[in-house]
Amino acid sequence: MDSRKRKLTVAAKHTCYILLMLLGYVLQTTPGLFTLWGIKPIWVVPLAVVISAYEGEYIGALYGMLAGLFWELAAGRIIGSFSVMMILLCFLTSVSIALYLRRTVLNLSLLSGFCLLLIGSADFVFSYWLQGYGAVSGVYFRQVLPTVIYSGACTFINVWLVKRIHAKFVYEDA
């Protein structure tokens, strides 16, 4: 019975995380929602970074893959490019939290902003700069960087939600 209760607790926690990831995808793709000056935040990447900080390396990498797939669907990009980067970044995030950093809102916001900056810059390079479009620096400074800053600033909501879910489903050995 004890093993069964533990499995149900873990399943309920991951069900909440997946539903939260789906909610982030819906918020990210709903037109006009949370738009400031034509910039929308990206919700799934900071959520995956925060989950990886709380759940460990391998679980975090799986949620990073899921966030990458959701972001690729939302952005209309080739399946796999963001996912591979998110797997690596979420794994490195959870390792750095386990070894070097504390799980504070500021650290998690900076880590998610850094991940968004890396992925957004890579997407910009491969989608615009290498394609030979003219005046692409305006796209980077008016779209990519404000999106990174806005999404990083919204990370505190993800930290609060993941912290509540993580604390709610802690399995206690009796």
Side-chain angles (χ1 to χ4, degrees), residues 16-35:
C16 288
Y17 284 152
I18 290 172
L19 290 174
L20 193 59
M21 192 73 73
L22 283 170
L23 177 67
Y25 175 72
V26 168
L27 291 175
Q28 183 173 320
T29 57
T30 302
L33 191 64
F34 299 113
T35 302

Side-chain angles (χ1 to χ4, degrees), residues 57-148:
E57 298 88 9
Y58 301 109
I59 300 289
L62 289 174
Y63 281 104
M65 179 186 67
L66 183 64
L69 287 172
F70 279 152
W71 195 13
E72 289 161 350
L73 287 174
R77 300 290 191 254
I78 297 171
I79 300 295
S81 58
F82 291 155
S83 298
V84 171
M85 287 188 276
M86 281 301 298
I87 289 170
L88 180 64
L89 290 173
C90 285
F91 182 82
L92 293 174
T93 295
S94 59
V95 168
S96 65
I97 289 291
L99 296 177
Y100 303 112
L101 300 173
R102 292 180 20 208
R103 285 186 298 217
T104 63
V105 175
L106 179 63
N107 284 344
L108 294 174
S109 295
L110 291 173
L111 282 171
S112 68
F114 179 71
C115 292
L116 283 164
L117 183 65
L118 283 177
I119 295 173
S121 297
D123 182 47
F124 169 78
V125 165
F126 289 113
S127 296
Y128 294 101
W129 191 59
L130 290 179
Q131 298 294 327
Y133 292 115
V136 293
S137 63
V139 173
Y140 190 76
F141 290 112
R142 280 186 246 128
Q143 290 293 320
V144 176
L145 289 181
T147 301
V148 167

